[in-house]
């Protein structure tokens, strides 16, 4: 209502409160995953912003939207442009670094951990708990991909506590999901389910669509591994539907691949291939190598276990190359195991 009154008076150039109103509305749109409306409000804010910090913060919000909608190259272009312009002691610099770290991690770039470590020192010094929490979350994920579970849990625990300190529910939801994933992978199933449930509950509370999708996916994988295929399929289909609603192609790619895993476990191999192929198409479209690697590995494993004809060695080599460059230790171990099994079946090793 305030914004409508000021617009009627024609004072948009004069009143800084209008700028704040546009940014606040853009943030609400962002949380609700209404990215087009969020971008529209940010464009309007950018038109009336005059201070450098305002311009930089708006551009960082735009980069964040690009990241959430899988437009990684566009997001990185903004970050690269802003990095030399923002001073290190500015709180925006920490936000820039943690966002850059997040994108590079998704794209499999090995510079991600170095950026996370640099960010941590700067943010501790500045007591910027929000960006510190985000950075510790990214560091936790990276350590986990390196096989360092101890440091991963340490970083994620720090991340949750920093977020809790400033009552940032969005980050608390995200970190809960990551903690659940690690406890799940290390066999602590009840602990994993506790964190997955917490993540979903917080996401619902704040209408965080991305967080809710991640929670559905994580809990679905837990059910999949427990053999509860029907429950898992319901959650994965919900993740696919919501991902499409908010145009999150990366989340859709992951959920579709997981439905393929259900079909494979049920013995419906050709149906599984249909889902793997669909997931692969999305991964290639987004230029996200991890998605392609998962496709190659899943398809190769299915061919091996069913003794089907196919260029299994080529698929495993492609997956191995992707996971090596991205330092995905867990997937690399799967590659080694399937390579050994394939060679054994070919009579190359005894």
């Amino acid at each position: 209502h305030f914004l409508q009154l000021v617009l009627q008076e024609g004072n948009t150039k004069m009143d800084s409160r209008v700028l704040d109103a546009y940014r606040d509305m853009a943030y609400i749109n962002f949380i609700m995953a209404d990215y087009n409306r969020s971008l529209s409000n940010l464009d309007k804010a950018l038109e009336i912003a005059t201070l450098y910090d305002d311009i930089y913060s708006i551009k960082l919000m735009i980069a964040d939207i690009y990241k959430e909608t899988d437009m990684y190259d566009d997001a990185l272009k903004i970050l690269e442009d802003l990095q030399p312009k923002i001073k290190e002691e500015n709180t925006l610099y920490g936000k820039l670094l943690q966002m850059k770290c997040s994108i590079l991690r998704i794209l499999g770039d090995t510079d991600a951990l170095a950026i996370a470590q640099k960010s941590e020192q700067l943010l501790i010094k500045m007591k910027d708990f929000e960006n510190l929490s985000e950075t510790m979350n990214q560091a936790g994920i990276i350590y986990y991909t390196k096989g360092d579970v101890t440091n991963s849990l340490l970083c994620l625990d720090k991340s949750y506590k920093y977020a809790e300190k400033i009552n940032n529910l969005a980050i608390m939801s995200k970190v809960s999901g990551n903690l659940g994933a690690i406890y799940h992978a290390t066999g602590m199933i009840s602990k994993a389910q506790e964190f997955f449930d917490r993540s979903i509950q917080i996401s619902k509370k704040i209408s965080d669509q991305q967080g809710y999708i991640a929670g559905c996916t994580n809990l679905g994988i837990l059910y999949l591994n427990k053999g509860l295929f029907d429950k898992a399929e319901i959650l994965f289909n919900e993740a696919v539907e919501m991902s499409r609603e908010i145009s999150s192609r990366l989340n859709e790619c992951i959920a579709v691949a997981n439905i393929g895993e259900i079909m494979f476990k049920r013995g419906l191999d050709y149906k599984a291939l249909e889902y793997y192929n669909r997931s692969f198409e999305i991964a290639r479209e987004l230029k996200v190598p991890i998605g392609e690697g998962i496709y190659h590995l899943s398809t190769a494993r299915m061919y091996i276990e069913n003794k089907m004809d196919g260029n299994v060695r080529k698929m495993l080599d492609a997956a191995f190359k992707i996971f090596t460059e991205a330092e995905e230790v867990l997937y690399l171990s799967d590659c080694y195991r399937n390579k050994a099994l394939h060679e054994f079946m070919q009579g190359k090793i005894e």
Side-chain angles (χ1 to χ4, degrees):
H1 294 299
F2 161 74
L3 186 57
Q4 288 175 345
L5 287 172
V6 177
L7 289 173
Q8 286 170 6
E9 293 174 9
N11 292 328
T12 56
K13 297 285 184 183
M14 304 295 292
D15 201 326
S16 64
R17 290 176 296 173
V18 176
L19 177 64
D20 292 335
Y22 276 129
R23 279 196 292 204
D24 289 345
M25 288 192 300
Y27 179 73
I28 293 168
N29 297 146
F30 179 82
I31 291 295
M32 298 296 292
D34 189 349
Y35 299 122
N36 288 333
R37 193 166 292 176
S38 184
L39 274 175
S40 175
N41 282 317
L42 289 173
D43 286 339
K44 290 170 185 173
L46 204 53
E47 286 177 10
I48 61 175
T50 55
L51 299 176
Y52 283 126
D53 271 7
D54 287 334
I55 293 169
Y56 297 158
S57 69
I58 293 166
K59 286 187 175 181
L60 283 175
M61 289 177 74
I62 292 171
D64 212 2
I65 291 173
Y66 287 155
K67 179 176 80 73
E68 291 301 324
T69 53
D70 312 320
M71 297 169 64
Y72 303 117
D73 290 341
D74 292 322
L76 282 174
K77 194 179 295 181
I78 292 175
L79 299 180
E80 295 292 351
D81 175 62
L82 290 180
Q83 190 163 356
K85 297 175 183 176
I86 302 176
K87 293 180 179 178
E88 287 193 0
E89 58 269 20
N90 191 322
T91 54
L92 295 176
Y93 193 80
K95 171 70 175 173
L96 183 149
L97 287 180
Q98 69 85 5
M99 199 187 305
K100 190 174 182 180
C101 172
S102 175
I103 294 170
L104 292 178
R105 179 187 60 77
I106 292 169
L107 295 176
D109 193 307
T110 54
D111 288 339
L113 184 57
I115 293 172
Q117 290 166 339
K118 180 181 179 182
S119 301
E120 181 183 5
Q121 298 307 314
L122 282 170
L123 298 170
I124 287 174
K125 186 178 177 182
M126 299 175 65
K127 297 184 179 179
D128 181 353
F129 295 117
E130 180 177 345
N131 286 319
L132 187 52
S133 179
E134 288 279 18
T135 300
M136 287 296 92
N137 180 52
Q138 293 301 324
I141 297 169
I142 296 165
Y143 275 122
Y144 181 64
T145 63
K146 289 176 172 287
D148 189 342
V149 174
T150 302
N151 272 320
S152 177
L153 288 172
L154 181 66
C155 287
L156 291 173
D157 185 56
K158 283 184 185 178
S159 176
Y160 191 89
K161 286 177 179 174
Y162 286 132
E164 196 171 31
K165 192 180 183 75
I166 56 174
N167 198 33
N168 191 314
L169 296 176
I171 300 176
M172 289 164 64
S173 168
K174 182 164 49 179
V175 177
S176 293
N178 290 335
L179 282 165
I182 293 176
Y183 283 125
H184 183 196
T186 52
M188 299 177 70
I189 304 302
S190 59
K191 194 89 170 168
Q193 186 151 1
E194 175 193 333
F195 278 103
F196 289 152
D197 287 338
R198 186 186 301 180
S199 175
I200 290 173
Q201 286 166 10
I202 296 173
S203 296
K204 275 186 178 178
K205 184 177 181 180
I206 61 173
S207 300
D208 179 1
Q209 309 278 46
Q210 293 277 9
Y212 187 76
I213 292 168
C216 287
T217 301
N218 287 328
L219 194 56
I221 292 170
L222 187 145
Y223 286 148
L224 173 62
N225 291 340
K226 288 174 74 173
L228 302 172
F229 301 140
D230 290 344
K231 283 188 174 183
E233 190 173 6
I234 289 169
L235 287 169
F236 292 145
N237 279 319
E238 190 173 350
V240 169
E241 186 179 335
M242 193 169 288
S243 296
R244 287 174 179 164
E245 284 178 11
I246 65 171
S247 302
S248 179
R249 299 284 282 158
L250 178 57
N251 279 322
E252 182 185 349
C253 173
I254 293 167
V256 168
N258 283 319
I259 295 174
E261 288 294 301
I262 292 175
M263 299 304 160
F264 175 65
K265 296 279 189 183
R266 285 172 169 164
L268 304 171
D269 298 333
Y270 289 99
K271 205 154 185 71
L273 263 181
E274 286 178 18
Y275 283 101
Y276 291 151
N277 287 333
R278 196 185 309 168
S279 176
F280 180 62
E281 286 170 11
I282 298 171
R284 293 203 81 168
E285 179 187 324
L286 297 176
K287 298 179 182 177
V288 179
I290 298 299
E292 293 187 35
I294 292 170
Y295 163 81
H296 290 309
L297 180 58
S298 299
T299 307
R301 184 181 66 243
M302 187 172 69
Y303 277 37
I304 292 168
E305 292 192 15
N306 290 288
K307 299 179 181 177
M308 295 163 64
D309 292 329
N311 202 338
V312 172
R313 185 56 190 256
K314 186 177 178 181
M315 286 187 278
L316 288 173
D317 285 344
F320 186 82
K321 183 175 184 294
I322 289 169
F323 296 138
T324 299
E325 289 173 356
E327 297 185 346
E328 288 280 357
V329 176
L330 295 177
Y331 284 125
L332 277 174
S333 65
D334 277 349
C335 282
Y336 282 123
R337 184 165 55 251
N338 282 283
K339 272 189 173 184
L341 182 59
H342 178 60
E343 289 184 3
F344 177 76
M345 291 174 66
Q346 295 290 310
K348 295 180 181 178
I349 55 175
E350 295 182 1

